[in-house]
Amino acid sequence: MENAICNLELQVLTKIYSAKKATKKALAGVSFTLGPGLYGLLGPNGAGKSTMMNIITGNLDATSGKVLWNGKNVLRMGREFRRVLGYMPQQQNLYDSFTGRRFLLYIAALKEIPRSDAALQVQRVAELVHLSSELEKRLAAYSGGMKQRLLAAAALLGEPQILIMDEPTAGLDPKERVRLRQVLAQLAHDRIIIVATHVVSDVEHVASEILLLKEGQLVDQASPAALIEKYAPGGTLEDVYLTIFG
């Protein structure tokens, strides 16, 4: 994947939810372009983070605007885009009767990974998230943190060129949080990784850039150091967050 092109572009992305009594603009013309790297997506609840991620991954239609992957509209790419996409949702909708291995093999099948490669890929991603010794256990016996790591492993199947993760460290103990952070930082040199989180420290020291989303609008996009210099000189990224979002 060293020579693969990785370019994600959002063009004036808008999403309006209509109800009987009112309408809500969840995204209001968001535009940006990303190349290989790790990007932190920060903003309070209701800022539009989940809406944006669901549009990129094809789980939700935009009201207007486009998402382009290497210059191609992802809606027209269909399965071609899904093959290069890895997505880790925040919700843990798992089959308790499955073992960890069976779940990952099931996801590998959905991703159309050849059977001849699936077993090796499952072992590889399980090692990345420190779950190799737990794969034969049923998911009913998994802790919340183990389920979270399993979802991260599932997202990593297929060597995705773009990886979108919604609160990936939720429920992880400090040691596993650091471990996952390091894994993502290592993977980001040749792919695009977007991490939406409320744990500012998860992205402060590993993100190429931070995207700050407020009330459906992109209020800034820059490196953590540049944002600190601009909004909270001598402070931290958390101080930036508090300055912008209150």
Side-chain angles (χ1 to χ4, degrees):
M1 209 176 72
E2 290 288 344
N3 298 320
I5 301 171
C6 293
N7 182 271
L8 178 72
E9 183 179 356
L10 270 60
Q11 293 184 343
V12 201
L13 208 63
T14 299
K15 178 62 180 178
I16 299 172
Y17 292 102
S18 298
K20 289 183 178 180
K21 295 184 178 180
T23 60
K24 179 188 177 183
K25 189 173 280 189
L27 289 179
V30 173
S31 298
F32 59 74
T33 301
L34 306 180
L38 194 154
Y39 299 87
L41 179 59
L42 301 181
N45 291 331
K49 301 189 302 298
S50 293
T51 296
M52 188 177 80
M53 288 185 292
N54 277 308
I55 291 173
I56 294 172
T57 56
N59 294 321
L60 192 64
D61 291 329
T63 303
S64 62
K66 295 178 183 177
V67 179
L68 304 179
W69 176 252
N70 296 335
K72 298 179 182 178
N73 190 320
V74 299
L75 291 179
R76 294 177 184 168
M77 291 178 70
R79 291 169 66 181
E80 183 187 354
F81 179 63
R82 289 194 293 274
R83 287 192 184 104
V84 301
L85 172 69
Y87 177 49
M88 178 184 174
Q90 189 174 358
Q91 295 79 18
Q92 295 185 351
N93 298 320
L94 301 173
Y95 302 107
D96 281 349
S97 62
F98 277 25
T99 63
R101 188 180 303 279
R102 184 182 176 193
F103 174 76
L104 291 176
L105 287 171
Y106 168 67
I107 298 298
L110 292 180
K111 289 189 172 188
E112 300 179 324
I113 296 171
R115 275 188 169 186
S116 57
D117 297 337
L120 282 176
Q121 286 219 28
V122 164
Q123 199 61 39
R124 179 184 64 82
V125 297
E127 288 172 3
L128 284 175
V129 300
H130 204 216
L131 269 182
S132 299
S133 62
E134 313 291 344
L135 287 182
E136 308 313 325
K137 291 182 179 178
R138 292 189 183 276
L139 302 190
Y142 274 34
S143 66
M146 289 167 66
K147 289 179 179 179
Q148 196 75 355
R149 283 147 56 199
L150 187 71
L151 288 173
L156 291 167
L157 284 167
E159 291 278 1
Q161 292 174 256
I162 175 170
L163 187 60
I164 297 178
M165 312 186 86
D166 193 357
E167 300 287 352
T169 64
L172 297 188
D173 64 38
K175 183 178 179 181
E176 291 299 340
R177 173 176 283 137
V178 170
R179 183 186 180 92
L180 181 59
R181 193 162 64 208
Q182 291 172 339
V183 167
L184 295 179
Q186 290 166 2
L187 292 173
H189 77 282
D190 63 350
R191 72 196 76 201
I192 295 171
I193 300 178
I194 301 174
V195 176
T197 182
H198 286 97
V199 185
V200 178
S201 61
D202 276 348
V203 292
E204 179 167 7
H205 301 295
V206 294
S208 312
E209 290 185 348
I210 302 295
L211 307 174
L212 298 168
L213 204 62
K214 183 178 183 181
E215 296 177 351
Q217 295 182 312
L218 186 68
V219 296
D220 215 330
Q221 174 186 355
S223 69
L227 291 174
I228 290 169
E229 180 65 26
K230 182 176 181 178
Y231 295 102
T236 66
L237 190 59
E238 193 168 80
D239 295 321
V240 173
Y241 187 99
L242 293 172
T243 298
I244 293 176
F245 303 120

